[in-house]
Amino acid sequence: MMACEHLAQLRLPASAIALPTRGARITSAQSKAPTEARPHPSNGTWLHALPAYCEVKGEIDPVDRTAPVIQFQLNVPTAWNGRAMHIGGGGLNGNIPANLAVVAASGSPVSAAMPPDAPYPLTRGYALFGGDSGHQGPAGEWALNDEAWLNFAHAGLKKTRDAAVAVLTHLHGQRPRTTYFMGTSQGGREALE
């Protein structure tokens, strides 16, 4: 098993990702300490305790050098159960899903997918990952680029999944036994891809 911080030097070859890319690289890898259960600072909902985990951020390089990179994040609990969960995006995406460690605050589309007292998937041992679908921010210039548009439409999901599986394999020496997908709204559309 590789130490979390050593992943910061990892580069994934294009062959690690089934769809065309120029490969991927890890931009940061940090060990996160466990946290106690506590009230949410802004809305009063209850945040469950979180286990120790490795937070990995990376970028997948497009073939077209004028297309934006796909930014992704993978959170792997120290006591990984061998399973992974891909978290879908929202709206037009453009950012990494905010709930890769916790379920989003009450009132957001993702919180509707899980009961408020359900333990977080990360706490149950699942590795969680997601990406920005190949662009940053709302609709704009990226939509005029063919590769960026395909990444948003569907290809970014597969590329993000392949990169996350490759990182998990480096970290734990094995691929996930099972991978699930969770999402509502835009993430629900992505689940159909």
Side-chain angles (χ1 to χ4, degrees):
M1 184 168 117
M2 180 183 282
C4 177
E5 283 71 18
H6 292 144
L7 289 173
Q9 308 303 315
L10 184 63
R11 292 196 59 83
L12 301 173
S15 61
I17 301 168
L19 296 177
T21 70
R22 287 183 291 117
R25 66 191 168 286
I26 302 307
T27 57
S28 71
Q30 298 178 336
S31 293
K32 298 291 186 176
T35 60
E36 298 293 322
R38 65 203 183 283
H40 191 284
S42 63
N43 66 16
T45 60
W46 195 254
L47 297 173
H48 301 289
L50 286 176
Y53 67 97
C54 178
E55 178 189 85
V56 181
K57 294 182 180 180
E59 295 180 345
I60 303 167
D61 292 320
V63 174
D64 177 353
R65 293 179 189 273
T66 65
V69 298
I70 297 171
Q71 295 180 0
F72 70 95
Q73 183 173 331
L74 167 68
N75 292 339
V76 186
T78 304
W80 183 45
N81 68 10
R83 296 183 177 108
M85 186 176 288
H86 191 161
I87 304 297
L92 291 175
N93 293 340
N95 59 324
I96 295 170
N99 59 329
L100 291 178
V102 300
V103 176
S106 178
S108 73
V110 176
S111 68
M114 296 185 67
D117 59 346
Y120 300 143
L122 192 70
T123 303
R124 297 183 66 200
Y126 289 84
L128 277 79
F129 63 91
D132 66 4
S133 79
H135 66 275
Q136 294 75 53
E141 293 277 326
W142 67 266
L144 301 175
N145 181 284
D146 289 343
E147 186 172 356
W149 185 251
L150 286 175
N151 284 336
F152 169 69
H154 63 86
L157 294 168
K158 172 69 172 152
K159 293 174 184 180
T160 298
R161 180 226 170 257
D162 289 354
V165 167
V167 173
L168 278 167
T169 302
H170 278 286
L171 185 61
H172 283 284
Q174 67 180 32
R175 299 167 55 90
R177 291 189 317 267
T178 308
T179 302
Y180 302 92
F181 191 95
M182 184 178 104
T184 60
S185 186
Q186 176 69 359
R189 181 201 65 85
E190 292 171 343
L192 298 173
E193 293 297 327

